[in-house]
Amino acid sequence: MEKFVQKTFPHGVHFHDNKELSKDQAIEVMPAVGDVFISVSQHIGAPSSPLVKPGDKVVKGQLIADAIGGLGSKVYSSVCGEVVEIVKRKTAPGGMCDHIHIKTDGSDECVTLPALEEKTKDAVLQRIFEAGIVGMGGAGFPTNVKLKPAKPVDTLIINGAECEPYITCDYRLMKEKANEVIQGAKYLALACGINNLVFGIESNKMDCAELFASLGAKVVVLKKKYPQGAEKDLICAVNGRRVPCGGLPMDVGVVVQNIATAYATYEAVELNKPCYERAMTVSGRGIASPKNLLVANGTVYKDILDFCGGYSDDTVKLVSGGPMMGFAFVDTAISTTKTTGSLLALTEKEVNLSLPTPCINCGRCAKACPMSLMPMYIDFYTLAGDYDTAVKYGAMNCFECGSCAYVCPARRQIVQSVRLCKKKLKERKK
Amino acid sequence: MEKLVYSASPHIKAPRTTKHIMIDVCIALLPATIVGIVFFGFDALLVMAISVLSAVLAEFLYKVCFMKKGKSFKEKLKESCTEFDYTSLVTGMLIGMNMPSKVNWYIPILASFFAIIIVKMLFGGTGKNIVNPAIAGRIFVFLSFGIVAANGFAEPIVNGSGDFMNTVTAGATPLATMLMTGTSSVSNLDLFLGNVAGTIGETSALALLVGGIYLVIRKVIDFKWPLIYIAVTGVASVLTMAIIGKTSTVDFGLFLPSILSGGLMLGAIFMATDYTTTPNTTLGNIIYFVALGLITAILRCNNGTEVVSFAIMLMNLTVPLIDKYIVPKPFGYVKPQKTKKEGN
């Protein structure tokens, strides 16, 4: 263990990661039954246009919605069955978008993409687009676009930090599919024309770091600290470069991809399988049996929660995504997408529901902020309606990791203030 | 289903709240309070009790009388109880510790009411006061009643001739003596243990340090700031004494007496580090505490009297200015003119 020097970034917060709940659960396949609702907007670009009509029969792996625009992404069916309708439904972040409602018929028929004859740079890049792969860490940025940066890049970092508490699906992928993840990462590097491939793995996953190093991958062990997996902080920790404010990783010659994206790339290139299912974690102390699951896209949250034994009566919050940056939901009829990494049922002990009290100016938020901002003043001036001063203290540089609100002893809702400030400034520009 | 909460991220929060921090401060103040009571006797206990009770009462009275319009008395009282965050308890304890034990009973009450109502509540309550309430309260009564001149500081009862009633010596504190004569009148050990004349809570450096170490371990305060303040004051005092001619040469023998005597330890550990009235950045804090140390040393030596509270209050007023102009550069900041360079 001594051979690894733990690297990190300035500031950040330490907390108990609660990963022990689901850490030792092998990834289990969850059979898709009943109805699935596949969103046509699982990425950040324009929603894909559906290619199927109500009444059509579809099989697993069939293209059901085509990409539109430069940031578009293709959507594949994750089940076999009949299209019932195309219906507007709620998404986890709170918006509405079209979902393709498919009634499963229980058969296991499956189609794949044609095999790649030559695994060249362009062919792999085209395959990544064809397979509908997007950044599976949560942003949903189309991977093929990210692999064609406008500026020269020299390093590909695979993000294995998984710094959010509770989530263990990337950990399980790394542990169970180490060779596949490494191979997938190599294809990503190939598609981007990069030789320098680095895996950044947090120190609470030391077994994975050692496993990857023994398989010949270049591993950087990162200190267990939140938000270690945030792109900018990851890059700073791995090779000391600092992404300029308002810039992108390519400004410092780096591309960052997620573990799950690497695995999806492996499947698309080697197994010719498009992206229609993903590993996710179901955890939290309100869940009867926390699990890591392989879930078909479009599965309704309720089915997943039921598959894990449902949530207990003392659950006060259901969260889609990590507890620091995820979205709370009340309606369990929402369905999963390519970017849903976890579902959590948190009990009253785990979440804090207390209301904000006056700021005592202790400065803990400024010490925690990975962007070196002054969150207490952003909060103060935003609530006072003085957005320009809030910007002076860094409101626009905030990426809403929530470290400040986590450490705040006065329970100030700082992240909400930042969002309010950003929204008001956006409205003003119009 | 009905119980589920819908709110924005982050969904988890650190267990520690303002109340926990304030209770920690109260615990840290206990050793010095107990030592004060041991040295100064029942009078000290009485003064402490009066200060604390009147400070807490002042907060409740203000909230019930002037806030929460349109609610019944019972509701007001209930809300005031849930809102109570122990800050006025800390203020009350600090005021008590800043009083000589032989003070008239109404003086701590006045100090507490002034501190809580005028300095804290009228400025907007917890976290909005521009100077430390306890310090403002202390200065208010010290200037108004000339406590020092009228009553003098009590000598510790263990030093007296055994007659407990005969403990009021209208004597000067060791600090005043040292500043007048340029030599220390009592041993450093007595100063360290607190066996000297002074206010209830300020005399025992040992007990204050124990409290300070507790706060550092509990991560309530950063050890750097009191350390900078105390060190700068000590060195600057020694130098100033030589410069203004109170001592013929630079006499580092005065270093320990100047940091151990007077209210410096109490001020540095518990009052100058008050969250609300200190800057929020590392650089801001360095400026604040170095300036505080210099002001304390220079004013002390020139005036021959204790000025820690005045120095802290003066620097408190500069905090908004420091925080306005010392803003840390965000991660990855680039100077506007060369936008393509990396901002290390």
Side-chain angles (χ1 to χ4, degrees):
Chain A
M1 262 198 205
E2 268 77 22
K3 63 180 175 169
F4 292 115
V5 181
Q6 293 189 12
K7 295 193 174 175
T8 193
F9 62 99
H11 306 294
V13 289
H14 299 269
F15 44 55
H16 182 64
D17 61 15
N18 278 309
K19 288 188 197 279
E20 70 278 2
L21 289 176
S22 54
K23 206 173 174 203
D24 299 324
Q25 305 289 326
I27 296 176
E28 199 177 319
V29 180
M30 180 189 160
V33 288
D35 301 272
V36 297
F37 298 87
I38 301 173
S39 167
V40 296
S41 183
Q42 307 192 19
H43 52 281
I44 62 163
S48 312
S49 73
L51 298 172
V52 289
K53 309 183 294 296
D56 284 359
K57 290 268 181 205
V58 292
V59 293
K60 204 190 260 189
Q62 181 184 333
L63 184 65
I64 54 172
D66 206 358
I68 292 180
L71 289 177
S73 174
K74 301 196 175 200
V75 177
Y76 289 83
S77 172
S78 57
V79 291
C80 300
E82 188 185 325
V83 177
V84 180
E85 57 184 342
I86 294 171
V87 60
K88 274 220 181 306
R89 285 168 68 89
K90 240 189 230 163
T91 60
M96 299 289 275
C97 89
D98 282 338
H99 284 66
I100 298 169
H101 178 181
I102 300 172
K103 199 169 180 60
T104 56
D105 59 12
S107 73
D108 210 22
E109 202 182 330
C110 182
V111 290
T112 56
L113 300 166
L116 277 185
E117 285 166 13
E118 273 183 300
K119 293 180 178 100
T120 58
K121 180 174 188 295
D122 292 335
V124 170
L125 199 57
Q126 184 61 27
R127 171 50 55 94
I128 289 170
F129 168 68
E130 289 292 334
I133 296 173
V134 298
M136 288 163 97
F141 196 88
T143 303
N144 60 306
V145 181
K146 212 173 174 183
L147 291 173
K148 282 184 292 191
K151 292 181 184 173
V153 289
D154 57 18
T155 307
L156 172 67
I157 300 175
I158 302 294
N159 185 353
E162 201 167 51
C163 59
E164 285 254 18
Y166 296 99
I167 308 181
T168 53
C169 56
D170 283 358
Y171 166 76
R172 289 311 305 184
L173 263 187
M174 285 192 276
K175 207 174 161 73
E176 292 171 27
K177 312 272 184 193
N179 281 311
E180 289 85 342
V181 170
I182 292 172
Q183 192 54 42
K186 283 182 180 159
Y187 285 128
L188 286 170
L190 172 71
C192 200
I194 292 174
N195 291 324
N196 189 14
L197 171 67
V198 186
F199 288 83
I201 299 175
E202 230 180 38
S203 61
N204 56 355
K205 293 177 272 291
M206 216 55 205
D207 46 348
C208 290
E210 278 164 5
L211 177 62
F212 272 51
S214 71
L215 291 171
K218 198 163 151 191
V219 176
V220 171
V221 175
L222 309 162
K223 205 166 165 183
K224 179 182 165 289
K225 194 164 79 173
Y226 182 83
Q228 186 69 74
E231 245 176 14
K232 292 182 174 186
D233 298 311
L234 179 72
I235 296 168
C236 174
V238 169
N239 59 14
R241 300 180 193 172
R242 291 193 171 203
V243 180
C245 293
L248 291 168
M250 66 178 178
D251 291 329
V252 292
V254 178
V255 174
V256 179
Q257 294 288 358
N258 182 268
I259 291 285
T261 314
Y263 183 64
T265 306
Y266 166 81
E267 287 189 325
V269 177
E270 291 269 321
L271 309 177
N272 308 313
K273 182 184 153 196
C275 176
Y276 56 76
E277 57 188 12
R278 69 160 296 152
M280 65 190 287
T281 302
V282 186
S283 186
R285 299 197 193 273
I287 286 283
S289 53
K291 280 178 182 164
N292 294 298
L293 298 173
L294 190 67
V295 179
N297 284 349
T299 308
V300 177
Y301 284 178
K302 186 176 185 306
D303 294 343
I304 300 173
L305 292 170
D306 288 345
F307 187 74
C308 296
Y311 57 88
S312 62
D313 287 339
D314 56 352
T315 300
V316 292
K317 215 171 202 183
L318 295 174
V319 178
S320 162
M324 293 298 283
M325 290 181 82
F327 308 98
F329 63 92
V330 175
D331 183 1
T332 51
I334 299 169
S335 56
T336 65
T337 67
K338 292 170 192 171
T339 56
T340 313
S342 69
L343 288 187
L344 306 174
L346 302 174
T347 58
E348 196 160 354
K349 247 186 224 161
E350 295 162 280
V351 292
N352 200 301
L353 303 174
S354 51
L355 293 169
T357 58
C359 171
I360 52 169
N361 234 16
C362 63
R364 281 182 171 78
C365 48
K367 268 187 209 140
C369 183
M371 293 298 291
S372 303
L373 311 177
M374 295 186 88
M376 70 294 254
Y377 291 122
I378 299 176
D379 182 49
F380 179 81
Y381 285 107
T382 301
L383 295 182
D386 184 354
Y387 305 115
D388 296 308
T389 315
V391 168
K392 186 195 152 201
Y393 288 109
M396 298 315 276
N397 291 322
C398 173
F399 62 90
E400 300 167 22
C401 68
S403 300
C404 48
Y406 174 83
V407 295
C408 182
R411 306 274 179 246
R412 304 295 306 165
Q413 297 168 334
I414 304 169
V415 182
Q416 276 98 316
S417 293
V418 171
R419 289 189 189 127
L420 177 69
C421 179
K422 285 180 176 171
K423 188 165 180 284
K424 290 283 177 190
L425 287 170
K426 217 173 173 183
E427 279 171 13
R428 200 198 283 174
K429 267 185 194 163
K430 278 179 189 166
Chain B
M1 178 82 186
E2 309 81 48
K3 291 187 300 153
L4 291 179
V5 179
Y6 186 71
S7 65
S9 65
H11 305 290
I12 50 171
K13 288 197 168 177
R16 195 171 227 194
T17 65
T18 306
K19 284 184 192 182
H20 297 137
I21 291 173
M22 292 305 154
I23 291 171
D24 268 349
V25 176
C26 291
I27 293 171
L29 284 168
L30 278 179
T33 310
I34 291 167
V35 170
I37 291 168
V38 168
F39 279 141
F40 297 110
F42 183 69
D43 289 342
L45 181 65
L46 208 60
V47 171
M48 287 299 299
I50 292 174
S51 314
V52 170
L53 286 178
S54 54
V56 175
L57 187 70
E59 184 179 320
F60 274 82
L61 273 181
Y62 184 89
K63 282 195 169 159
V64 170
C65 295
F66 300 110
M67 291 165 80
K68 313 180 196 306
K69 292 265 153 57
K71 286 180 185 156
S72 75
F73 178 73
K74 223 176 172 181
E75 280 171 348
K76 283 178 177 176
L77 206 62
K78 210 175 157 190
E79 272 188 33
S80 305
C81 283
T82 47
E83 278 172 16
F84 183 65
D85 54 13
Y86 298 89
T87 45
S88 51
L89 190 65
V90 173
T91 304
M93 283 183 89
L94 282 172
I95 287 175
M97 293 170 82
N98 272 301
M99 293 290 146
S101 58
K102 289 287 174 189
V103 76
N104 281 328
W105 62 270
Y106 56 84
I107 288 177
I109 299 184
L110 280 173
S112 290
F113 271 69
F114 180 82
I116 297 294
I117 292 180
I118 310 260
V119 182
K120 191 172 111 182
M121 299 313 288
L122 285 184
F123 277 86
T126 306
K128 298 288 187 293
N129 46 299
I130 54 170
V131 293
N132 183 323
I135 286 194
R138 170 191 156 118
I139 290 176
F140 170 68
V141 295
F142 268 56
L143 293 182
S144 306
F145 297 95
I147 296 173
V148 187
N151 297 12
F153 289 95
E155 285 283 344
I157 47 178
V158 286
N159 268 11
S161 54
D163 179 2
F164 272 35
M165 297 307 289
N166 188 24
T167 51
V168 185
T169 52
T173 59
L175 176 72
T177 318
M178 182 192 84
L179 293 170
M180 289 302 204
T181 60
T183 50
S184 182
S185 57
V186 285
S187 76
N188 285 340
L189 185 67
D190 274 347
L191 280 174
F192 185 65
L193 295 177
N195 194 8
V196 292
T199 67
I200 296 167
E202 74 179 11
T203 55
S204 173
L206 174 65
L208 290 166
L209 280 175
V210 168
I213 290 168
Y214 175 77
L215 288 186
V216 170
I217 291 173
R218 298 282 295 157
K219 293 190 175 152
V220 173
I221 59 171
D222 191 334
F223 76 96
K224 290 196 286 286
W225 313 131
L227 201 66
I228 289 182
Y229 180 23
I230 292 169
V232 170
T233 307
V235 173
S237 293
V238 170
L239 295 178
T240 318
M241 290 295 264
I243 291 167
I244 63 173
K246 290 236 170 92
T247 52
S248 48
T249 53
V250 176
D251 179 9
F252 274 95
L254 286 180
F255 181 79
L256 278 179
S258 42
I259 66 169
L260 293 175
S261 63
L264 182 63
M265 283 287 170
L266 179 62
I269 296 172
F270 293 101
M271 301 202 286
T273 54
D274 171 26
Y275 287 144
T276 307
T277 50
T278 45
N280 284 318
T281 53
T282 307
L283 182 59
N285 269 314
I286 293 173
I287 294 173
Y288 177 85
F289 283 98
V290 169
L292 194 53
L294 291 176
I295 290 178
T296 307
I298 293 169
L299 289 184
R300 248 187 185 182
C301 300
N302 266 322
N303 298 335
T305 179
E306 177 58 309
V307 294
V308 167
S309 54
F310 293 91
I312 293 177
M313 186 152 150
L314 190 67
M315 285 308 291
N316 279 174
L317 297 173
T318 67
V319 167
L321 204 65
I322 293 176
D323 267 350
K324 180 164 185 185
Y325 289 104
I326 296 178
V327 178
K329 295 271 172 286
F331 181 90
Y333 176 79
V334 267
K335 280 186 188 159
Q337 60 265 34
K338 34 179 183 176
T339 39
K340 280 189 182 162
K341 272 270 181 181
E342 206 184 300
N344 276 328

